[in-house]
Amino acid sequence: MGKKLKLSFTIFLCIFIFDQIIKYGFANYDWNVEGPYMSLQLAYNYGVAFSMFSFLAEYLKYIQLGLVLIGLIYLYINKNVFMEYYIPIALLFAGGLSNILDRFTYGGVVDYFYWHYGFEFAIFNIADVIINLAVAIIIYIQIKQARLEKKNKV
């Protein structure tokens, strides 16, 4: 477990710091760039995905911290889950905690990727991409395990 814990902490720390440096640049310097397909444009999200629950803006950071704490307790109790999913868990926590820190630091999540070619998409950040990557990895592992179990039953 020690090796996996160290690796997951290293992944967490690298992604968390990288994401916060990028967000600091957008929040404090004029890093906006207009492109034909995608632009880099500072925006603050006071809700969650697609600004849902923005009416909870001031309380959302505490609700999310509570959910992270519940997740940590669950992983402490179920160490086997951590052992199996330690990489996506590190990615989830890095992206999630980085976005939560934004709420405390800037009052909302710092977003900057803006897709506008063909259709307009929500503005998002690297942490959002990392969270989605983590979920995709978890789904992939689940599908792989289900297929293996199905194959072993036959």
Side-chain angles (χ1 to χ4, degrees):
M1 174 151 172
K3 213 174 202 182
K4 290 181 178 182
L5 186 60
K6 285 179 186 176
L7 180 58
S8 66
F9 186 72
T10 303
I11 291 169
F12 167 83
L13 208 55
C14 290
I15 291 171
F16 183 86
I17 290 170
F18 178 72
D19 188 55
Q20 283 298 305
I21 289 170
I22 299 294
K23 289 174 177 177
Y24 181 84
F26 274 97
N28 294 289
Y29 304 104
D30 184 18
W31 283 9
N32 294 338
V33 177
E34 192 67 34
Y37 305 107
M38 178 184 257
S39 298
L40 299 175
Q41 179 179 336
L42 174 64
Y44 293 96
N45 184 350
Y46 301 103
V48 292
F50 306 104
S51 297
M52 291 186 301
F53 305 116
S54 57
F55 63 92
L56 293 172
E58 189 55 38
Y59 304 103
L60 204 49
K61 57 190 167 194
Y62 300 110
I63 294 168
Q64 290 175 325
L65 272 179
L67 291 171
V68 168
L69 183 61
I70 290 168
L72 283 171
I73 292 168
Y74 176 83
L75 290 172
Y76 182 75
I77 293 169
N78 300 285
K79 291 178 178 70
N80 60 320
V81 174
F82 174 79
M83 296 300 288
E84 193 167 346
Y85 298 97
Y86 66 99
I87 291 176
I89 287 170
L91 297 173
L92 271 174
F93 276 76
L97 286 171
S98 183
N99 282 345
I100 292 170
L101 180 59
D102 289 358
R103 294 183 187 286
F104 283 97
T105 308
Y106 306 108
V109 176
V110 176
D111 287 333
Y112 44 85
F113 286 123
Y114 175 48
W115 179 268
H116 52 77
Y117 180 76
F119 62 93
E120 293 202 17
F121 193 71
I123 300 177
F124 58 98
N125 61 41
I126 290 173
D128 298 335
V129 174
I130 293 298
I131 291 167
N132 283 294
L133 175 63
V135 171
I137 292 169
I138 291 169
I139 291 169
Y140 172 78
I141 292 170
Q142 288 287 303
I143 291 170
K144 190 175 170 183
Q145 285 177 342
R147 287 181 178 167
L148 185 62
E149 287 174 13
K150 188 177 181 180
K151 182 180 174 184
N152 288 338
K153 282 185 181 180
V154 174

